[in-house]
Amino acid sequence: MERTTSTYTAGQEPGGTLRRFESAGADPREAATTYSDAYGGGSLRARAASGDFTYRYAYIGDERVTLRTSECSGILSGDVLHLQEYVVGWFRRGGGTLDLRRIIRRGSDTSDPLLLPAERRFSLEFEPHRQNLIHFAPDFLEKVATEQHAGPLQPISFDYAAPADPTVLDRWRTAVTEATQAIARVGAGPLVRLAAELDLARVLLRLFPWRAWDVPESIRTPAAWRTRVALDYLHHHAHDPIAPADAAEAAGIHTRTLQQATRRHFGMSPSTYLRNIRLDRVRQELLERDPGSATVAEIGRDWGFGNLGRFAASYSARFGERPKDTLRR
């Protein structure tokens, strides 16, 4: 059996450490170890599809962004337990399936980018393939996201059910090409590299829908991933006619389990949690809309508040001012 070779180098530059890694060989067990490490300590398996088995996994980048390539002649499958980086990938050859435990199941055999779920358990099965991936460090992408939302630095909740925006795909591919040139080209310089990484992050945030919200550390753990999925669902679907039971179903848990989780982590019921999300969205609209053309009643009804008296009381209790005063700012 051919011996697996792995190399890792790191060079210090004024703009940070540029890292290079490559692992290649013909041993499925070594491939499984390499891929499990690459996906944050998952439990992945590799096996030959037909004939000889070979693989190559390599990356180059810094502490903010790494560009990665995977080539595997066999089948890669198993569980990813808790991916902590934000990862987007696309197939150059072959394809595969992500299974998010009854939340969503998607296959991909095209070159369109696909997000890998962060901070939740999922399984994958990739057929023989060549794939490109980009890993974004959490603090880097979350800092870039503050350019688009008014809040402090917060975790990003992508809508993993949504496909890539087709109107942004050409801009995304251009950003990938420019980032590859800036990161991989010798002598490109740290400022050029950072500019390309920032552009890549900004385009990613246009490519897929997302929300930033203050996720408690207690539900950013492998054990609490289903609760995180349910709450992400509420954030992404707050404008839809949903109930907490829909979020529980999406996460594969009982409604009672979600009720216990929200009381433990937030001291409130899932219904109150959803109402607060909607109140927050109302406030955001009141601050952004023109008081000459928008009305409190219109915005409140858009977010499901039919009784304007109860709505105004709930709004005042949450924000310490009347909704009409917010609109007049």
Side-chain angles (χ1 to χ4, degrees):
M1 182 172 291
E2 181 180 329
R3 182 184 179 92
T4 297
T5 61
S6 297
T7 59
Y8 174 84
T9 61
Q12 187 66 37
E13 296 185 7
T17 299
L18 190 62
R19 300 170 292 172
R20 295 177 176 85
F21 172 84
E22 180 173 346
S23 179
D27 185 344
R29 293 169 300 180
E30 293 292 344
T33 298
T34 296
Y35 283 109
S36 294
D37 291 344
Y39 286 104
S43 177
L44 299 181
R45 302 174 298 277
R47 68 181 190 276
S50 60
D52 294 335
F53 175 90
T54 60
Y55 83 96
R56 175 180 176 271
Y57 186 86
Y59 69 75
I60 183 171
D62 54 26
E63 69 278 4
R64 297 179 295 266
V65 176
T66 53
L67 310 178
R68 307 191 179 211
T69 301
S70 169
E71 295 184 72
C72 183
S73 68
I75 305 296
L76 180 66
S77 63
D79 293 329
V80 177
L81 304 181
H82 202 241
L83 183 62
Q84 294 188 331
E85 293 182 303
Y86 298 103
V87 179
V88 59
W90 61 99
F91 289 100
R92 305 291 297 275
R93 183 178 68 246
T97 300
L98 299 181
D99 185 347
L100 278 67
R101 307 284 196 240
R102 292 190 289 172
I103 302 158
I104 176 177
R105 186 175 180 87
R106 293 184 58 190
S108 178
D109 56 2
T110 72
S111 61
D112 288 351
L114 181 67
L115 281 168
L116 276 62
E119 295 190 352
R120 65 200 64 198
R121 189 182 183 114
F122 67 95
S123 61
L124 60 81
E125 183 166 353
F126 292 165
E127 63 188 47
H129 67 273
R130 180 183 178 190
Q131 186 183 32
N132 291 112
L133 306 104
I134 302 177
H135 287 227
F136 293 85
D139 60 344
F140 174 66
L141 191 63
E142 289 161 12
K143 286 178 182 176
V144 176
T146 61
E147 298 174 355
Q148 300 184 34
H149 69 82
L153 192 71
Q154 295 174 328
I156 297 170
S157 166
F158 282 103
D159 184 355
Y160 296 106
D165 185 339
T167 67
V168 186
L169 283 174
D170 286 344
R171 182 68 191 90
W172 165 255
R173 292 178 179 125
T174 298
V176 169
T177 299
E178 293 173 351
T180 301
Q181 294 172 348
I183 293 173
R185 188 174 70 233
V186 175
L191 295 181
V192 172
R193 188 167 76 241
L194 175 59
E197 292 169 345
L198 286 170
D199 185 54
L200 192 63
R202 289 166 181 148
V203 178
L204 176 66
L205 294 172
R206 292 172 50 201
L207 191 62
F208 296 99
W210 57 276
R211 290 280 180 182
W213 63 283
D214 188 15
V215 185
E217 288 297 326
S218 58
I219 62 171
R220 300 188 70 178
T221 65
W225 73 272
R226 289 189 186 275
T227 298
R228 171 72 182 279
V229 168
L231 298 180
D232 279 346
Y233 183 93
L234 293 178
H235 280 272
H236 282 290
H237 295 275
H239 204 281
D240 298 325
I242 62 165
D246 297 306
E249 182 181 5
I253 57 178
H254 194 276
T255 305
R256 179 61 178 165
T257 303
L258 179 58
Q259 290 172 343
Q260 293 170 341
T262 55
R263 289 198 181 279
R264 181 169 63 253
H265 295 292
F266 301 98
M268 65 184 71
S269 69
S271 296
T272 301
Y273 186 87
L274 177 57
R275 184 194 65 187
N276 286 344
I277 293 175
R278 288 170 171 161
L279 286 170
D280 291 343
R281 304 288 170 79
V282 167
R283 181 174 179 80
Q284 182 179 351
E285 282 207 38
L286 290 172
L287 290 169
E288 294 174 351
R289 298 283 294 274
D290 178 5
S293 58
T295 68
V296 169
E298 169 198 358
I299 296 172
R301 282 194 297 267
D302 282 348
W303 286 99
F305 297 100
N307 187 309
L308 296 181
R310 285 202 296 267
F311 159 63
S314 297
Y315 186 95
S316 297
R318 182 159 178 79
F319 302 113
E321 66 179 9
R322 296 173 299 178
K324 64 180 182 180
D325 294 332
T326 306
L327 181 60
R328 289 170 180 166
R329 286 190 182 185

